[in-house]
Amino acid sequence: MTTPTHAGRAIVDSLVRHGVRRVYSVPGESYLALLDGLYESGIHNVVCRQEGGAAYMAEAHGKLTGTPGVAMVTRGPGAANAFVAVHTAWQDATPLVLFVGLVPIGDRQRESFQEFDPAAWFGTQTKRVLVLDEPDRASEVVAEAFFAATSGRPGPVVVGLPEDVVAAPFAGRLHEPLPVVDGTVSECDLADLVARLQRSERPLLLVGGARWTPDAAATTTRFAERNALPIVQEWHAADRVPTASPSCVGQLAFGGPAYAARMLEEADLLVTVGAVLGDVVTGGYRLRQDPDAATVVVTIDPGLRGRSGAVSRHVLAAPTAFARAVAELDLDRAEVWRPWTEAGRRAYEEELARLARGTGMTTVLREIAARTSDALQTVGAGNHTAWARLLPVDRYPGELATRNGSMGYAVPAAVVAALEHPGRAVVAVAGDGELLMNGQELATAAQEGAAFLVVVMDNGQYGTIRMHQEREYPGRVSGTRLANPDFAALARAYGGHAETVRADAEAAGAVERALEAVAEGVFALVHVVVDPAVLSP
């Protein structure tokens, strides 16, 4: 490799060393040298239409691959627009590296054009904020950023690039990636876990969080099935165990099913893998708060961030290390646990059956499920996301979602999923409010040739807030109504295929034609018009 000519090129050469194949950006004059470094680098620069969309794509990339997604934005307004994805990555424990152009060093603290303090803005929502003040340390800063983003509990890292420093000559050396450890399930940890399980009559696994791989998810599933152990999943983490697995008993989510909450309360041993007992899982810190409850937490985070309730033992290990430790474990308790697990499974299947009896969005999602296999779904936030449960998950990764309740995510995440997995069906489930928060990234999809299906539920309102409003202030609708465009016409304007469904009889044909368009290499959108009274499945 030739010696980098400037710090911007050194950063890009370091990204190559870290295995980066794709970055997501909105260009800015504050980091022209970094854009120059990307020229002929072999890294694909996905140029987006708004920094929020670009940073969401990087966050989705981190979730999908387990390696840091990389976004590049300019100072001031650009950094502000990207903040939503930083918060998402912070709460969802997603590895993300955000490069932000800054004012030249000599212009600092002079209220110069678009100046801001990156540490003050991002300090509470990132694992680290690094500012490159010496061009020769450019590669070192990249290595530090990637290590911080991936080690322990993953999260976002912001790297500030003063305009003059990133363009300065580089005379340093290129740094190799720093190793990230998975922790370990020690012999003592494993012996304690086995002893607790063998004493248990009603054990329950709770899975979710970060640091999963396809192999870890598959191995954990096989362990649970071999031992007839039930697995409940975190909200918006529905892909650690396949929907069809006899061990899968659903999710603990906002407004989640009563049977899942009962299982959490009645379990005489809870083993969490990657997940912690946060507010959503515990129904607002109400469930499993008994100080004597037996709970073994397996997480690589030494700080146990986000937990509540008792912790009987903390195993400092990532899900990958847990999966290796239990891969061949046969506890000889399957017949004891099978009735408990089968009861949870039946309750889950009954819930899915009830959900599938609806119309409108339900009919459209049923038609999609019947025509796709191994689909990768993307959802943001809102009541419409509940319909995504009609799409079965076959393997990890199978769902990209925001566990911090951030809207506008479905389309940017679908762009990433389609580019990263061009052979898989990708289905974005969006609401009318959510789609218009980052719907402009459909232009990016068309530009990049990202082929996926978008299903838009149009009930003319911010449905989640309307639901809460009707509960707290019945009949007094305020601030939640929406006057929507013709979403199908909008999709065609962006260069995609579009269908409109106003009645169940139109669903099958619309879905069939939309999926044919996706197979031909373009994105497609199905605009589902529903009664405003429909707020949830």
Side-chain angles (χ1 to χ4, degrees), residues 284-509:
Y285 305 114
R286 293 182 299 104
L287 301 174
R288 204 156 184 97
Q289 299 300 297
D290 182 351
D292 296 322
T295 302
V296 175
V297 177
V298 183
T299 173
I300 193 63
D301 177 17
L304 287 173
R305 195 165 77 85
R307 66 162 182 85
S308 69
V311 176
S312 308
R313 189 180 185 98
H314 179 199
V315 179
L316 193 62
T320 46
F322 173 83
R324 288 193 296 269
V326 302
E328 304 301 327
L329 204 58
D330 189 336
L331 299 165
D332 198 27
R333 297 277 290 172
E335 295 313 308
V336 175
W337 297 332
R338 198 176 307 282
W340 157 253
T341 301
E342 289 179 347
R345 178 67 190 180
R346 281 194 302 272
Y348 176 49
E349 290 174 347
E350 289 168 4
E351 182 206 11
L352 292 179
R354 283 194 299 271
L355 180 66
R357 285 198 291 266
T359 60
M361 274 288 283
T362 302
T363 303
V364 171
L365 268 293
R366 280 203 314 262
E367 293 291 343
I368 294 171
R371 288 169 170 78
T372 59
S373 61
D374 192 27
L376 200 164
Q377 58 181 270
T378 70
V379 295
N383 277 19
H384 65 275
T385 64
W387 273 274
R389 286 180 290 168
L390 285 164
L391 297 174
V393 175
D394 296 328
R395 63 183 168 107
Y396 180 88
E399 180 185 50
L400 291 176
T402 59
R403 291 191 291 279
N404 74 328
S406 188
M407 295 177 70
Y409 186 79
V411 167
V415 172
V416 174
L419 293 176
E420 195 69 21
H421 292 281
R424 290 182 72 178
V426 175
V427 182
V429 182
D432 47 0
E434 186 194 34
L435 186 77
L436 289 184
M437 290 193 179
N438 269 309
Q440 76 282 346
E441 299 306 340
L442 289 174
T444 306
Q447 180 172 306
E448 294 290 333
F452 53 87
L453 175 62
V454 185
V455 182
V456 184
M457 176 181 168
D458 180 2
N459 60 2
Q461 62 197 323
Y462 288 117
T464 302
I465 309 308
R466 170 73 182 275
M467 180 183 70
H468 294 314
Q469 202 168 56
E470 293 287 7
R471 184 188 65 238
E472 301 294 334
Y473 305 99
R476 296 173 62 83
V477 178
S478 175
T480 53
R481 290 192 180 100
L482 297 173
N484 287 323
D486 181 337
F487 288 114
L490 188 62
R492 293 187 193 101
Y494 279 125
H497 175 91
E499 300 279 346
T500 299
V501 174
R502 297 181 182 274
D504 281 5
E506 300 168 347

Side-chain angles (χ1 to χ4, degrees), residues 75-91:
R75 61 201 177 206
N81 288 339
F83 208 132
V84 64
V86 173
H87 180 259
T88 302
W90 176 250
Q91 289 220 320

Side-chain angles (χ1 to χ4, degrees), residues 127-434:
K127 294 187 71 177
R128 291 192 70 179
V129 177
L130 303 169
V131 177
L132 179 65
D133 281 347
E134 301 173 41
D136 290 349
R137 296 187 61 196
S139 181
E140 176 189 348
V141 166
V142 172
E144 289 289 343
F146 271 65
F147 176 75
T150 52
S151 60
R153 184 185 191 273
V157 174
V158 170
V159 180
L161 303 175
E163 184 177 341
D164 52 342
V165 176
V166 76
F170 175 77
R173 65 180 183 88
L174 295 179
H175 287 247
E176 296 297 326
L178 295 166
V180 174
V181 299
D182 283 347
T184 186
V185 179
S186 69
E187 291 184 6
C188 291
D189 288 330
L190 189 59
D192 178 80
L193 177 61
V194 169
R196 291 177 184 273
L197 284 167
Q198 289 179 334
R199 292 193 302 268
S200 173
E201 299 292 325
R202 297 179 308 280
L204 180 65
L205 299 186
L206 168 64
V207 299
R211 302 284 294 267
W212 288 86
T213 64
D215 183 65
T219 300
T220 301
T221 299
R222 288 193 298 269
F223 161 68
E225 291 177 350
R226 181 188 315 120
N227 291 282
L229 280 163
I231 298 179
V232 67
Q233 305 191 81
E234 264 192 309
W235 180 56
H236 282 180
D239 56 357
R240 276 54 168 183
V241 56
T243 304
S245 170
S247 285
C248 180
V249 298
Q251 291 185 64
L252 287 161
F254 280 118
Y259 79 85
R262 283 196 304 271
M263 290 188 75
L264 184 67
E265 284 284 75
E266 294 173 3
D268 60 4
L269 174 64
L270 178 69
V271 180
T272 74
V273 184
V276 293
L277 289 171
D279 63 321
V280 178
V281 169
T282 61
Y285 305 114
R286 293 182 299 104
L287 301 174
R288 204 156 184 97
Q289 299 300 297
D290 182 351
D292 296 322
T295 302
V296 175
V297 177
V298 183
T299 173
I300 193 63
D301 177 17
L304 287 173
R305 195 165 77 85
R307 66 162 182 85
S308 69
V311 176
S312 308
R313 189 180 185 98
H314 179 199
V315 179
L316 193 62
T320 46
F322 173 83
R324 288 193 296 269
V326 302
E328 304 301 327
L329 204 58
D330 189 336
L331 299 165
D332 198 27
R333 297 277 290 172
E335 295 313 308
V336 175
W337 297 332
R338 198 176 307 282
W340 157 253
T341 301
E342 289 179 347
R345 178 67 190 180
R346 281 194 302 272
Y348 176 49
E349 290 174 347
E350 289 168 4
E351 182 206 11
L352 292 179
R354 283 194 299 271
L355 180 66
R357 285 198 291 266
T359 60
M361 274 288 283
T362 302
T363 303
V364 171
L365 268 293
R366 280 203 314 262
E367 293 291 343
I368 294 171
R371 288 169 170 78
T372 59
S373 61
D374 192 27
L376 200 164
Q377 58 181 270
T378 70
V379 295
N383 277 19
H384 65 275
T385 64
W387 273 274
R389 286 180 290 168
L390 285 164
L391 297 174
V393 175
D394 296 328
R395 63 183 168 107
Y396 180 88
E399 180 185 50
L400 291 176
T402 59
R403 291 191 291 279
N404 74 328
S406 188
M407 295 177 70
Y409 186 79
V411 167
V415 172
V416 174
L419 293 176
E420 195 69 21
H421 292 281
R424 290 182 72 178
V426 175
V427 182
V429 182
D432 47 0
E434 186 194 34

